[in-house]
Amino acid sequence: MSGTGVDAEALTAAAVQAELAALADPADAVHLQRFFKTGPGEYGEGDVFIGVRVPQTRKAVKAFVGMPLSEIDVLLDSPVHEHRLAGLVMLNGEMARASRKRGGDAARQREIVDLYLAAVRRGRVNNWDLVDASAEFVLGPWLFERPRDLLHEFAASDSLWERRVALLTTFAFIKQGDASTTLELCEQLLVDRRDLIQKAVGWMLREIGKRVDPAILTGFLDAHAAAMGRTALSYATEHLTPEQRIHYRAQR
C-alpha cells in the first residue's frame, strides 16, 4: 500500500494504523519507550510505542494524501505514539498544500490550525519529537503575518509541551529572517530550567546566530548570559568562537 496511493474510501485512520502495524517491531518498541522517557515520573510517562521508526512512518503516510481531517484527528487522539506522529506528518502536508494555493486558502489553514491546537491543548502533542516535527510547519505559516499572542500564552503555560510548541513555532520565523518573537520568548523562558526548554531556548538562539545575524545572538547573550541555564547557554554558544564561548559561559 505504501507509496502507491489508495482509493478515497480507504483514506481512513484505521488503514494508516494497519499500515503501521505491519511495520512494527517489538524490539524497537522497547528501545523507543526507553529513548523517549516513558517510565514513571519521566516526561513521556505512559506513552505507548509499537516500534516504527520515523522514516518508515513518513514513507507510509505518503499513500494517504488527502485523508479527511476528521480521520487525521483520530490518529492524533490515539494512545500510540507512532499514530500521533503519522497524524502530525499528514497535517503538515495538508498545511503545506493549503499554503501553496494561489493567495493561500485561509479557511482551510484555519481548520488545520484549529485541529492542531485542539490536539496540543488536550495533551496529544506530548513529546519533543512530536512538537519538533509539527509546530513550525503548522503554526509557523499561519502566524508569520498574524498576531503571535498565542505563543506568549503557550510560553506561560504549565504544560512543558505548550512551552516547547511556542519556541519551536518560531523556527519558521527564524528561517524567514525574523528573530523578534524568538527573542521575546527566550527572555520569557529564561529561568525555565526544564531540560527540554533549556535545549529549545539554546537551539533557537543558536539558529538566530546562524540564519539571521550573529550580532543579534551576541546582543542577547550580552544582556542575559548571566541568568541563563548551563544547557541553554551551551547550545546557544555552540557555533561561536572558543574565546566567545569562554567569555559568555564565565558570566554564569
Side-chain angles (χ1 to χ4, degrees):
M1 180 183 295
S2 293
T4 61
V6 296
D7 294 334
E9 60 269 21
L11 294 173
T12 65
V16 175
Q17 290 167 345
E19 183 82 351
L20 294 175
L23 298 168
D25 181 333
D28 260 355
V30 173
H31 166 73
L32 291 169
Q33 286 181 194
R34 287 197 301 266
F35 183 76
F36 286 104
K37 308 294 185 184
T38 63
E42 295 181 310
Y43 59 72
E45 180 176 359
D47 206 354
V48 177
F49 287 80
I50 58 174
V52 184
R53 297 296 179 118
V54 173
Q56 293 176 299
T57 300
R58 290 186 178 278
K59 183 177 180 181
V61 301
K62 288 180 179 179
F64 296 90
V65 173
M67 198 167 85
L69 293 184
S70 59
E71 292 295 317
I72 293 177
D73 196 35
V74 173
L75 293 173
L76 295 178
D77 211 35
S78 171
V80 174
H81 187 101
E82 292 93 337
H83 295 171
R84 300 197 302 282
L85 177 60
L88 292 169
V89 171
M90 297 174 79
L91 209 58
N92 292 347
E94 292 302 315
M95 191 64 174
R97 280 183 285 279
S99 300
R100 284 196 298 267
K101 289 186 178 180
R102 185 182 297 274
D105 186 342
R108 177 66 170 178
Q109 289 174 313
R110 175 82 259 184
E111 190 177 8
I112 293 164
V113 167
D114 286 346
L115 185 67
Y116 180 72
L117 291 176
V120 170
R121 287 171 170 143
R122 68 179 185 259
R124 308 313 290 162
V125 185
N126 59 345
N127 214 309
W128 60 263
D129 65 318
L130 302 179
V131 173
D132 298 5
S134 61
E136 67 168 293
F137 304 107
V138 177
L139 293 183
W142 178 253
L143 292 177
F144 185 68
E145 295 183 347
R146 291 180 171 86
R148 302 171 185 178
D149 296 348
L150 171 69
L151 300 184
H152 292 281
E153 293 173 16
F154 274 6
S157 171
D158 290 336
S159 166
L160 166 65
W161 307 118
E162 290 184 11
R163 299 200 303 276
R164 191 166 172 109
V165 164
L167 284 165
L168 265 294
T169 295
T170 70
F171 203 177
F173 310 154
I174 291 170
K175 290 175 180 178
Q176 295 293 322
D178 179 359
S180 59
T181 303
T182 310
L183 295 171
E184 293 168 1
L185 295 180
C186 286
E187 188 170 358
Q188 185 176 345
L189 291 165
L190 204 63
V191 298
D192 191 325
R193 292 299 188 258
R194 288 297 296 268
D195 186 59
L196 289 174
I197 300 301
Q198 286 275 300
K199 290 177 178 178
V201 165
W203 175 18
M204 292 300 100
L205 288 172
R206 183 184 70 209
E207 293 299 324
I208 288 172
K210 287 171 56 181
R211 297 170 182 266
V212 184
D213 187 345
I216 296 177
L217 167 59
T218 54
F220 185 93
L221 295 175
D222 288 340
H224 300 294
M228 292 176 67
R230 187 180 305 276
T231 299
L233 190 57
S234 177
Y235 273 57
T237 58
E238 190 175 51
H239 291 166
L240 298 182
T241 67
E243 293 77 16
Q244 287 175 311
R245 290 199 299 272
I246 291 169
H247 168 73
Y248 287 119
R249 292 175 188 182
Q251 303 305 306
R252 295 188 68 257

